[in-house]
Amino acid sequence: MERKEEQQKHNIQVFVLFLLIVLLAFVVRIYKISDESVWWDEYSSLVHINSGSLKEFIYLNPLYDPATMPAYYILEYLFWHYVSPSVISLRFFSILLSVMTIPVLFLIGRKFNSEKIGLVAGLFFAISPIHRFFGQGIRMYVLLTFLFALSIYYLLLCSEYSNRKNWIVLTLINALLLWTHPFAVIIVCIEVLWLFYIFYIKNTKKYLPIILQILISIPSVLYVMSINYYSQEQSFWFKKPTLYEFIGDLFADDAVGMTYQVRIIKEVLPQYLINIHPVVDFSLLLITILVIALSIRYIFKGVGNYKELDTKNKVILLLLMALIPPIFLYILSILWRPCIFPRYTLYSSLAIYFLYGYLIKINKTKNLNYFLIFSLVLIFFYQLLITLPGPQRTNWKDTVRFINQQSSNNKNVSVFVNQAINKDVFTFNFKNEKIPVSFVEDINTFIPIVQELFQKESSCFTDKIWFVYVSFYFGDYGSTELEQLLNNSKIRYETYDFYGIEPIRLYKVLPQEGVTYNRWTDKELENEFLKFTISDFALANVETGHKECAMYLIERLISNDPLQKLQFQNIYNALKDGGDVPKLTKSLRYYQISQRSMSPKYKEYFLKKAVQFDKDLELAYLCFDAIMTSINGDIEITKEKLHHIVHVNPDIALPRIALGVITLSENNEEEAKKWFYSAIQCENGLYQSWKYLLDYIFIQKDYKKALQEYYDLKNKGIFVESFFEEYLTSKLAGGNS
């Protein structure tokens, strides 16, 4: 009777501790959940959430993150459309998934014949700074962690009770895992190796369900191998970690100062708390290495009975899960390309939490156990404390709030953001329908933009320009290159810093009294980066109701660039004559996405969307595609594409001009002559002003006069193909008249 009462008392104590841990995890994750901005990772998960169907959403979701797998995003879409369509609600959904992991950890602890191990693992998971960060984010990592824990639990069940039900559940869980993250295959591979080992030492031949785990991995592996991912040059956020960072990733994910997952909020914390973090990080590292070393020592120690052998095998599994994933990705990063990010092996930390609990369980010295648990809890709470004040993510919220406050009474305001992908996230957070926002892909092009917009007689006159510069993870604030350019151009500016995982420096750029600023020159308008910015800025002005500025920008674009004319002529006419501007604006936005898309399937998808609203954009795309093929060096394919355009659109001049340039570069003057003279007859003789130039080149062979005529046309602001200058200069240098 007394024993029964003691057991009931023990169960109540365990239950109370379990509830307290769950409550602690929930409070830690819900804290300041609404203060964090939607940053790039979350934006890429949300940008297509309002798609017309789940099928369309799953198709579009990998647009910005090609390695996206569908499992989490199906849940995200269903939650958004059938429960609550808000960012906060989706974060709350992630928190629920994260907190649901704790009961699974408790059940795994029981498989070690110890509720204490499960409670210890649950406690460290609850107060872990990295699991707090990813547990409240709109991203797949929270589901990956939950499914990993569930998979380990059923794996242990299958190793003990090899029945059909357990194997079916494990297979289903692993199938979900494999379609949650590309590197989840590492987890399944470790499980398969461990199961082969277990059944080998038990002298059983239950290999068919193990082979099933291999078979379900094949489709996801083939899918991952088929992904057209960013090139190494474009994947600049990936880098091979330093040895220090790798050791942190391997042994101490929660040592905030050792890895680049979460950041210490140095800006608001007392200095003494910041100063001690290397010591605390190192302490956690040492404790973890000691725990792993003791666990390895236990494995090689003789065992007295079956129960001890069974526990030893489970410890082997924990060690494999803790060490193999980061080591494998690190080796892959050295031999192939950087592909290791601490979050990709986030689940490995769960195995380490279990090892903490296991060491405390087997250690017979109570005082040492108390010291170990107290030290670890203190370290974890410290690491949590230095990350809590926030914000952790990129601080778009405070940035946009500041711009809105400073610009509330000012009509002549424009915003530029460095890089198009950052502009997308900024506008998602900005939601201001009066201030145009565009991007600057090349810092050097920002100066001519400022110079133009500070012209008081300009239709786009602006007396205040905001420039948002976003640094890479844990980088320095601002751009010394930009600041030097501004100083050299006698442009005033003030800076405001907003701390976050990607530091933001906001520049308030102002005209300087008594300084005359220059308008865009024709030479500057040949810069492709500048044209991209102007075209995007023109659409931003259309969308925010700045019609005159939009028309002026489009006029500058189309006057010297036939390709831009193909894109923007219709919207310009609509602005001028009162046409369907919103429809054409939507069309051009789809067209821009098509141009920016890396994958051919998305280029085609968004081009079709664009053409639905403006069929003439198909011609613009055909010309753009031919030009890009030429830039890539595929001249024969380029010629085929250009001939096709001429065939389907005989009155368009641009492909004829392009064919003339190609044949002239190949010294085929007769063929070039045919194409150029036919071009000046197209589009109602739009390029008739070239006739004298062509006559000098192809009839009179007077290259000196031809070059002078070329410069005269340029000086008059008439578009003339720049290749003529290169060709004529080389002819004159070769001794031709």
Side-chain angles (χ1 to χ4, degrees):
M1 188 70 178
E2 285 182 13
R3 191 172 179 181
K4 187 177 180 181
E5 287 177 358
E6 283 180 10
Q7 185 62 43
Q8 286 178 339
K9 186 178 178 181
H10 170 76
N11 290 341
I12 291 170
Q13 287 175 340
V14 168
F15 182 69
V16 169
L17 284 172
F18 171 77
L19 286 182
L20 287 174
I21 290 169
V22 169
L23 181 62
L24 178 62
F26 184 78
V27 170
V28 163
R29 283 154 180 73
I30 206 78
Y31 179 69
K32 288 196 172 184
I33 188 176
S34 61
D35 290 359
E36 293 284 357
S37 311
V38 172
W39 68 318
W40 169 252
D41 283 34
E42 292 178 314
Y43 170 78
S44 67
S45 305
L46 291 166
V47 61
H48 298 296
I49 194 74
N50 285 320
S51 298
S53 67
L54 175 60
K55 181 181 178 182
E56 185 181 23
F57 174 67
I58 295 303
Y59 176 82
L60 291 175
N61 199 55
L63 175 66
Y64 291 128
D65 184 357
T68 293
M69 307 293 273
Y72 169 78
Y73 298 100
I74 291 172
L75 297 177
E76 176 196 359
Y77 180 90
L78 295 174
F79 190 92
W80 178 277
H81 284 268
Y82 297 104
V83 180
S84 177
S86 75
V87 170
I88 294 299
S89 296
L90 277 179
R91 285 182 178 165
F92 188 77
F93 171 64
S94 291
I95 288 172
L96 289 178
L97 276 176
S98 182
V99 172
M100 281 167 55
T101 306
I102 294 175
V104 184
L105 299 181
F106 181 74
L107 291 174
I108 294 172
R110 281 187 164 177
K111 289 291 145 195
F112 282 83
N113 301 310
S114 171
E115 292 166 337
K116 185 187 291 183
I117 292 176
L119 290 173
V120 168
L123 173 63
F124 290 125
F125 176 79
I127 59 176
S128 159
I130 55 165
H131 286 291
R132 172 189 180 264
F133 180 84
F134 292 107
Q136 60 176 204
I138 305 169
R139 210 67 175 130
M140 82 292 287
Y141 304 108
V142 65
L143 180 63
L144 178 68
T145 305
F146 172 71
L147 289 175
F148 168 78
L150 210 55
S151 179
I152 294 298
Y153 174 67
Y154 274 93
L155 178 73
L156 296 177
L157 273 181
C158 288
S159 69
E160 292 178 8
Y161 312 106
S162 183
N163 58 50
R164 181 179 297 179
K165 177 187 172 184
N166 289 338
W167 281 112
I168 289 172
V169 175
L170 177 65
T171 304
L172 290 173
I173 292 167
N174 282 344
L176 284 173
L177 250 181
L178 290 162
W179 290 99
T180 298
H181 194 277
F183 293 145
V185 68
I186 302 171
I187 299 169
V188 179
C189 285
I190 294 171
E191 289 184 351
V192 166
L193 290 173
W194 185 78
L195 283 169
F196 271 121
Y197 166 72
I198 290 299
F199 289 139
Y200 173 77
I201 63 171
K202 287 183 177 180
N203 200 25
T204 59
K205 296 182 180 179
K206 298 175 181 177
Y207 293 147
L208 187 61
I210 305 178
I211 293 169
L212 182 60
Q213 309 310 305
I214 298 172
L215 292 176
I216 64 167
S217 303
I218 293 172
S220 65
V221 170
L222 292 175
Y223 174 81
V224 171
M225 290 175 67
S226 71
I227 292 171
N228 182 24
Y229 199 65
Y230 297 111
S231 67
Q232 229 167 301
E233 293 75 24
Q234 291 173 302
S235 307
F236 58 86
W237 57 89
F238 279 125
K239 64 184 183 70
K240 189 173 71 175
T242 63
L243 182 61
Y244 180 76
E245 289 170 335
F246 171 64
I247 290 171
D249 188 16
L250 187 60
F251 297 113
D253 274 324
D254 293 285
V256 175
M258 293 192 72
T259 63
Y260 47 103
Q261 297 198 98
V262 289
R263 63 186 293 269
I264 302 166
I265 312 300
K266 296 179 180 180
E267 295 81 0
V268 297
L269 289 168
Q271 193 58 45
Y272 72 89
L273 273 180
I274 299 167
N275 291 341
I276 64 171
H277 90 80
V279 177
V280 180
D281 287 349
F282 190 64
S283 300
L284 180 59
L285 180 66
L286 282 182
I287 291 173
T288 305
I289 291 173
L290 176 65
V291 167
I292 288 173
L294 290 173
S295 300
I296 293 172
R297 179 172 173 266
Y298 170 78
I299 289 171
F300 289 100
K301 187 180 176 183
V303 291
N305 53 49
Y306 175 79
K307 186 181 285 188
E308 285 184 6
L309 177 64
D310 184 56
T311 303
K312 183 182 85 168
N313 292 333
K314 291 170 183 173
V315 172
I316 290 172
L317 176 64
L318 293 178
L319 287 168
L320 292 174
M321 288 297 182
L323 302 177
I324 295 300
I327 290 173
F328 175 78
L329 290 182
Y330 186 69
I331 293 170
L332 199 62
S333 297
I334 293 171
L335 298 179
W336 178 48
R337 58 177 284 177
C339 60
I340 183 170
F341 225 42
R343 68 188 67 171
Y344 295 166
T345 56
L346 185 67
Y347 52 84
S348 294
S349 59
L350 299 184
I352 290 174
Y353 302 158
F354 280 113
L355 291 174
Y356 291 158
Y358 174 70
L359 187 65
I360 291 166
K361 176 184 178 288
I362 63 171
N363 192 351
K364 305 302 182 184
T365 310
K366 278 191 175 182
N367 290 337
L368 185 59
N369 279 347
Y370 289 143
F371 175 77
L372 183 61
I373 194 77
F374 177 77
S375 299
L376 283 169
V377 169
L378 194 64
I379 289 170
F380 270 70
F381 267 116
Y382 166 81
Q383 302 285 9
L384 184 62
L385 177 65
I386 61 175
T387 63
L388 275 180
Q392 277 292 335
R393 294 160 179 82
T394 316
N395 194 0
W396 296 111
K397 273 195 170 185
D398 285 343
T399 306
V400 301
R401 189 181 296 121
F402 184 82
I403 292 174
N404 281 324
Q405 289 170 351
Q406 293 281 310
S407 308
S408 57
N409 298 318
N410 196 324
K411 295 180 180 178
N412 299 320
V413 179
S414 299
V415 179
F416 292 88
V417 185
N418 79 301
Q419 298 185 335
I421 59 172
N422 290 324
K423 177 244 178 178
D424 294 342
V425 192
F426 175 86
T427 51
F428 186 90
N429 286 275
F430 193 42
K431 295 180 174 64
N432 188 313
E433 297 178 357
K434 296 179 181 179
I435 298 176
V437 180
S438 188
F439 64 86
V440 174
E441 206 67 39
D442 178 15
I443 288 293
N444 290 293
T445 60
F446 183 58
I447 299 304
I449 290 166
V450 172
Q451 296 264 8
E452 176 70 39
L453 298 187
F454 282 169
Q455 294 283 335
K456 289 190 177 179
E457 64 275 14
S458 170
S459 300
C460 292
F461 170 69
T462 300
D463 55 14
K464 184 193 293 180
I465 298 172
W466 295 103
F467 184 76
V468 185
Y469 188 87
V470 190
S471 299
F472 184 57
Y473 278 31
F474 307 104
D476 297 325
Y477 289 101
S479 165
T480 52
E481 180 189 0
L482 172 64
E483 290 169 20
Q484 187 175 348
L485 288 169
L486 290 169
N487 290 329
N488 292 343
S489 304
K490 297 181 180 178
I491 298 169
R492 286 194 301 137
Y493 66 91
E494 300 169 7
T495 62
Y496 307 88
D497 293 338
F498 299 90
Y499 53 86
I501 202 164
E502 295 171 293
I504 293 175
R505 173 160 286 179
L506 179 63
Y507 292 85
K508 182 164 73 172
V509 183
L510 304 162
Q512 196 150 298
E513 292 294 329
V515 176
T516 302
Y517 297 104
N518 303 318
R519 309 194 77 168
W520 287 320
T521 64
D522 291 339
K523 186 70 176 173
E524 286 173 329
L525 286 170
E526 290 175 6
N527 184 300
E528 292 299 322
F529 288 117
L530 182 59
K531 282 191 283 190
F532 286 144
T533 297
I534 296 170
S535 60
D536 187 75
F537 190 48
L539 290 180
N541 275 277
V542 172
E543 291 161 339
T544 51
H546 299 84
K547 177 181 172 181
E548 288 186 9
C549 177
M551 290 184 68
Y552 169 75
L553 294 168
I554 294 171
E555 283 170 4
R556 296 303 305 271
L557 275 175
I558 67 179
S559 63
N560 276 289
D561 191 328
L563 184 58
Q564 297 290 339
K565 185 178 180 182
L566 285 173
Q567 295 176 45
F568 284 91
Q569 188 66 59
N570 286 350
I571 195 170
Y572 179 78
N573 294 338
L575 287 165
K576 189 178 178 181
D577 304 327
D580 194 343
V581 174
K583 182 183 81 169
L584 293 168
T585 305
K586 186 182 290 187
S587 177
L588 282 164
R589 285 301 189 197
Y590 281 130
Y591 183 76
Q592 282 186 340
I593 298 172
S594 176
Q595 286 181 307
R596 286 172 56 189
S597 298
M598 184 178 65
S599 168
K601 71 175 184 178
Y602 291 124
K603 284 183 183 294
E604 185 181 351
Y605 175 87
F606 286 106
L607 177 63
K608 285 180 179 176
K609 286 272 190 181
V611 172
Q612 284 177 10
F613 299 103
D614 182 1
K615 60 183 178 59
D616 291 339
L617 279 178
E618 186 160 20
L619 177 58
Y621 182 81
L622 288 173
C623 292
F624 172 77
D625 183 48
I627 290 168
M628 292 307 296
T629 306
S630 174
I631 290 170
N632 293 331
D634 302 320
I635 299 302
E636 291 306 314
I637 297 174
T638 302
K639 283 201 254 186
E640 287 178 20
K641 290 181 177 181
L642 291 170
H643 279 288
H644 171 71
I645 299 168
V646 170
H647 176 71
V648 296
N649 297 279
D651 189 48
I652 210 78
L654 183 59
R656 295 174 181 271
I657 294 169
L659 283 165
V661 168
I662 292 171
T663 50
L664 194 57
S665 68
E666 295 170 341
N667 291 316
N668 189 344
E669 287 198 3
E670 283 304 310
E671 183 77 6
K673 177 182 175 182
K674 182 189 82 171
W675 287 117
F676 282 124
Y677 275 100
S678 69
I680 66 173
Q681 302 304 319
C682 296
E683 300 183 44
N684 297 317
L686 182 64
Y687 299 105
Q688 276 290 339
S689 56
W690 290 17
K691 188 175 185 309
Y692 291 117
L693 171 63
L694 297 178
D695 289 347
Y696 288 137
I697 296 173
F698 296 109
I699 298 173
Q700 299 179 32
K701 307 287 185 180
D702 191 335
Y703 302 120
K704 190 173 182 180
K705 280 188 177 180
L707 188 60
Q708 185 57 51
E709 178 68 15
Y710 169 82
Y711 288 133
D712 287 344
L713 290 170
K714 291 281 285 184
N715 291 334
K716 290 175 185 175
I718 296 171
F719 168 74
V720 58
E721 175 54 53
S722 59
F723 179 74
F724 286 130
E725 180 179 20
E726 181 185 335
Y727 177 76
L728 293 168
T729 303
S730 67
K731 281 287 187 182
L732 290 169
N736 293 295
S737 60

